[in-house]
Amino acid sequence: MTRGKFIVFEGIDGSGKSTHAVLLKERLEKEGYRVYLTREPTEGEAGVLLRRLLTGKADLPEQAIAGLFMTDRIDHILNAKTGMLRHLEEGEIVICDRYYFSSLAYNGAYAPMEWVIELNRLAMDTLRPDLTLFLDIRPETFLSRIESRGSTERYEKVEVLEKVRENYFKAFSLLPEENVQVVDNGRSIEAAAEEIYLAVKDALGK
Ligand code: ADP
Ligand code: TYD
């Protein structure tokens, strides 16, 4: 069976990742593709602890948090029951909301980015996205969008997200071998969704 393609959405908090991930899934399924939609942090053992850290119910040094994101990611890739490799081997398209560029951009705001890249080396060598879609919005736009969701998490502050957005672009230039497409999501959902769809069809080779 042909291995499925691996599509990743990245962007700052509130940039529209989950919205576009669902729209893409629905559109591909209408065309007959089998699609597995997933996200990081996961619902697994490390992901549960990460949620507690993100909502301030637990605390650890930033480097330990970066390590925990990596632990969660390796589980997400390799887990025998729920792992993404398994879904890809079954020929499904895997759409993942956040992956290692999130570590580079967020955890790289608190620890040297080169160190975070090394920390993520196993994931990079084991499962590289066929396409990473970076949804770009201005950090001010994020505030108005996430306010509609209620409570805010650890990294959801404008100054932090300015730095995170800069870090994404720094990470893209440090890893030129990655297939990254920057999509402006400051415009209508429909316009951005169309650009995403065309980029994905290109990555699928259709
Ligand atoms: P993320 O998953 O990146 O945190 P969401 O998909 O939850 O972001 O989007 C945050 C909010 O922004 C949601 O209310 C969503 O409906 C809205 N949104 C997403 N894309 C757009 C867009 N292009 N224009 C206006 N609002 C948008
Ligand atoms: P989540 O609620 O999924 O983000 P969003 O608001 O975009 O829907 O929360 C995930 C948070 O964890 C987000 O602030 C980014 C951060 N994060 C890291 O710091 N490192 C990582 O490796 C990942 C995957 C996420």
Side-chain angles (χ1 to χ4, degrees):
M1 179 178 298
T2 319
R3 183 171 152 151
K5 298 286 183 190
F6 181 38
I7 312 291
V8 170
F9 280 94
E10 289 283 0
I12 61 172
D13 298 64
S15 58
K17 297 178 302 303
S18 52
T19 304
H20 281 292
V22 169
L23 289 174
L24 178 64
K25 177 178 194 278
E26 288 170 353
R27 190 155 177 189
L28 292 173
E29 281 178 342
K30 272 197 196 128
E31 293 183 12
Y33 290 100
R34 286 179 301 121
V35 180
Y36 175 65
L37 177 59
T38 182
R39 63 183 298 200
E40 293 189 3
T42 70
E43 307 293 316
E45 300 288 346
V48 168
L49 178 49
L50 280 165
R51 290 275 164 220
R52 287 174 45 77
L53 290 159
L54 288 168
T55 51
K57 296 192 185 85
D59 200 16
L60 282 175
E62 288 290 340
Q63 294 88 336
I65 296 178
L68 201 55
F69 275 112
M70 177 57 181
T71 302
D72 187 40
R73 183 159 301 129
I74 293 301
D75 181 33
H76 198 198
I77 297 169
L78 296 179
N79 192 291
K81 283 197 195 121
T82 57
M84 293 191 287
L85 278 182
R86 196 181 144 175
H87 287 276
L88 289 166
E89 276 151 18
E90 285 169 8
E92 291 174 73
I93 295 175
V94 173
I95 301 177
C96 189
D97 181 343
R98 294 193 181 281
Y99 194 49
Y100 49 65
F101 275 114
S102 284
S103 278
L104 274 44
Y106 284 80
N107 311 119
Y110 298 91
M113 195 180 291
E114 301 290 352
W115 177 80
V116 184
I117 290 176
E118 284 316 308
L119 182 68
N120 276 273
R121 186 61 65 193
L122 178 60
M124 292 178 178
D125 290 346
T126 310
L127 180 58
R128 186 181 292 262
D130 293 290
L131 174 66
T132 296
L133 294 152
F134 176 73
L135 299 185
D136 197 20
I137 60 163
R138 303 293 314 166
E140 308 84 70
T141 313
F142 118 89
L143 259 193
S144 58
R145 291 188 187 169
I146 62 161
E147 266 163 17
S148 58
R149 292 202 297 219
S151 62
T152 55
E153 292 186 344
R154 189 175 183 104
Y155 302 120
E156 295 183 342
K157 300 180 190 76
V158 171
E159 320 76 73
V160 174
L161 292 179
E162 287 281 6
K163 174 76 184 154
V164 169
R165 180 171 175 273
E166 273 172 34
N167 272 349
Y168 268 115
F169 287 105
K170 182 176 166 194
F172 299 150
S173 64
L174 285 175
L175 300 171
E177 65 279 20
E178 295 277 342
N179 183 20
V180 177
Q181 178 143 341
V182 177
V183 178
D184 173 10
N185 195 37
R187 55 194 165 145
S188 76
I189 294 186
E190 294 74 18
E194 191 59 25
E195 185 179 334
I196 289 166
Y197 173 74
L198 293 175
V200 169
K201 289 299 269 192
D202 195 41
L204 296 179
K206 312 266 155 68

